[in-house]
Amino acid sequence: MTIFRVFAATVALAAALPAAADEIPVKMLNSGPNGMMVFDPAFVRLKPGDSIKFLPTDKGHNVETIKGMAPDGADYVKSTVGQEAVVTFEREGVYGFKCSPHYLMGMVALVVVGDKRDNLEAAKSVQHNKLTQKRMEPLLAQVQ
């Protein structure tokens, strides 16, 4: 078998295999690049099957799904304060997350999985306090 055939067979095999899923780290911080009580990054794009590892870099944080800000059928997430949480995203759509103890201080994040945005309008309609809304609006504006 020539080198070209071996290379072509390797490329064909690699194309047939499913892409490896990514795991993205997201820090939960008392103070970060975008202010106090933040997720870093606060906006993440993923492929279905990818995961986020939420890291309580500073103590006293958790991650929880914001009601009304997840695709139908998606698992509800609520981690223990101070513990890492790995969340794998199988359903496409828009997901909103909060740190339960610091939600009123605007500690929110937005995750977009895949290309479907069926729940975007529902996510936009969720009511937040003034500070949280101020942080959520620019995140939602990044969804295309």
Side-chain angles (χ1 to χ4, degrees), residues 65 68-77 88-95 118-119:
T65 304
M69 295 190 77
D72 288 340
D75 291 337
Y76 183 79
V77 173
T88 301
F89 296 85
E90 300 296 342
R91 295 190 181 271
E92 293 188 65
V94 178
Y95 295 76
D118 296 346
N119 69 313

Side-chain angles (χ1 to χ4, degrees), residues 8 15 20 27 35 43 49 54 63 67 76 79 83 87 89 96 102 108:
K27 297 175 186 173
F43 183 85
F54 289 97
V63 63
K67 290 184 177 130
Y76 183 79
S79 71
Q83 299 295 313
V87 179
F89 296 85
H102 303 110
V108 292

Side-chain angles (χ1 to χ4, degrees), residues 3-65:
I3 291 178
F4 176 75
R5 283 188 178 158
V6 170
F7 176 74
T10 302
V11 169
L13 178 62
L17 295 174
D22 291 329
E23 183 177 273
I24 308 299
V26 172
K27 297 175 186 173
M28 296 181 276
L29 302 168
N30 292 342
S31 182
N34 294 311
M36 298 191 62
M37 303 305 170
V38 293
F39 289 92
D40 182 33
F43 183 85
V44 180
R45 288 186 190 276
L46 301 174
K47 302 176 304 296
D50 287 351
S51 300
I52 292 180
K53 181 183 268 188
F54 289 97
L55 303 165
T57 307
D58 294 322
K59 294 180 181 180
H61 299 293
N62 79 331
V63 63
E64 181 178 357
T65 304

Side-chain angles (χ1 to χ4, degrees), residues 97-116:
F97 292 100
K98 64 183 176 181
C99 170
S100 304
H102 303 110
Y103 177 61
L104 295 176
M105 297 174 76
M107 190 166 177
V108 292
L110 196 70
V111 177
V112 177
V113 180
D115 298 323
K116 292 183 181 177

